Amino acid sequence: MRFLVLAASLVTAPALGQEAPAQPCARFAAFAPTKAPDLQGLWDFVMDAGPQLSRGYMAIGPIDGGWAGSLTPYSNNSLAIRSVTVDGTAVKLVVASREADVTFTGQLVEGGTMMCGTVAYHGGRIFPMIARHRPHLVYRPAG
């Protein structure tokens, strides 16, 4: 539920084509990681694309000593996440698209369970985006 409230708060972001706020992550709890964050798994995201919100999920996993995956908006096809770079709490995703790569630049917050930042889209458009790591489910047989 908290994620929905945070997602709804994105509507206060700038309109299409306007500059995003300088500190989009200020409302979230910062943290100092004691070890490399585990990004593996599914992440729900919402991006404020001006007149509408774009929602979907990302699947991130390890590959060749780094991270990669896929991003699937609910209104579109899946896109490849070419790379995921983490430096402390700073995170950058490069996502392939038909027109050109799209880049998310942000911070890991809330103990590493959320990413918040901005997406640099085609033609220089900037949009705020947040993503929340889904909890890992552990199967325990009854008995």
Side-chain angles (χ1 to χ4, degrees), residues 101-112:
D101 285 349
V102 173
T103 303
F104 168 82
T105 305
Q107 297 291 316
L108 290 167
V109 294
E110 302 288 333

Side-chain angles (χ1 to χ4, degrees), residues 58-121:
M58 298 182 288
I60 298 176
I63 185 168
D64 298 331
W67 300 96
S70 64
L71 182 142
T72 305
Y74 292 138
S75 63
N76 208 336
N77 296 325
S78 291
L79 303 168
I81 299 175
R82 294 184 192 273
S83 67
V84 180
T85 307
V86 180
D87 183 8
T89 60
V91 62
K92 179 179 178 180
L93 285 73
V94 178
V95 179
S97 77
R98 290 182 185 170
E99 294 85 1
D101 285 349
V102 173
T103 303
F104 168 82
T105 305
Q107 297 291 316
L108 290 167
V109 294
E110 302 288 333
T113 62
M114 292 184 72
M115 296 180 199
C116 69
T118 57
V119 175
Y121 218 72

